[in-house]
Amino acid sequence: MAKIERKYMAHYINAAVSGTAEYVRLGKDLEEYSAELSAEVETTKNILGETSVLVTGYEKSGSVEPYYAEKGDPLFERLQAIVDGALTLDDCNTDVVEVHLWETSGEGGYPAIREKAVIEVSSYGGDSTGYQIPFNVHYNGEKEKGLFDPATKVFTKE
């Protein structure tokens, strides 16, 4: 079985503030992006000396760093609005679509999972290489399976 190249696991973030989704693919200028799973683990030991371990959930997040601002990019406009307005609560909500480009594309696109998330801008500024707005994505666990068409950037729920 052949290894799957990293470029075939695509991550799209919804840059729209409201209304119709406007998905932007993460990856330009990124050498790495991983959705980190911080497992919630419960360990108990019974009176027989046996240990039981249960994974009860995950806190999932990812760090987008660096992110170089580009004029006219919808994601830059969304991040700059968060910075300028010191936005909080629901104003930072979005969704992320993870697309399995290694699978066969059917009518409607590739198999995908859309998950609600929150954008946390961690800083802004940067060095002489350009204006940077690194941010974190905190997933909330509400997932939907569906299909995603990279050409139209439309997610269709199954």
Side-chain angles (χ1 to χ4, degrees):
M1 184 174 279
K3 291 182 180 178
I4 297 171
E5 292 182 54
R6 178 62 178 91
K7 67 183 179 182
Y8 294 115
M9 179 57 168
H11 306 269
Y12 288 83
I13 188 166
N14 183 358
V17 174
S18 63
T20 304
E22 191 168 359
Y23 290 105
V24 175
R25 186 170 181 180
L26 297 178
K28 188 174 182 183
D29 299 318
L30 282 178
E31 293 180 13
E32 177 182 346
Y33 178 80
S34 296
E36 301 292 333
L37 300 174
S38 178
E40 296 171 14
V41 180
E42 292 181 10
T43 305
T44 56
K45 187 176 253 186
N46 65 24
I47 62 172
L48 302 174
E50 301 166 334
T51 301
S52 173
V53 179
L54 297 172
V55 175
T56 60
Y58 294 95
E59 288 188 24
K60 182 177 168 185
S61 65
S63 178
V64 179
E65 188 172 349
Y67 174 81
Y68 286 94
E70 290 187 18
K71 192 174 181 180
D73 177 11
L75 184 53
F76 159 63
E77 293 171 7
R78 176 76 187 273
L79 296 173
Q80 190 63 48
I82 292 171
V83 169
D84 291 345
L87 301 181
T88 60
L89 304 172
D90 289 348
D91 292 333
C92 298
N93 290 348
T94 191
D95 62 88
V96 177
V97 179
E98 294 181 346
V99 185
H100 302 169
L101 298 176
W102 67 86
E103 294 188 36
T104 304
S105 174
E107 187 177 325
Y110 291 90
I113 296 176
R114 178 170 63 183
E115 188 169 356
K116 292 186 178 182
V118 174
I119 297 171
E120 171 208 0
V121 172
S122 54
S123 66
Y124 62 97
D127 57 25
S128 62
T129 59
Y131 178 38
Q132 299 177 46
I133 310 175
F135 63 97
N136 297 310
V137 178
H138 299 278
Y139 300 78
N140 79 2
E142 290 184 49
K143 297 181 179 185
E144 300 176 301
K145 286 186 176 185
L147 298 172
F148 186 84
D149 185 339
T152 61
K153 297 182 181 172
V154 172
F155 176 85
T156 306
K157 184 179 171 182
E158 285 185 337

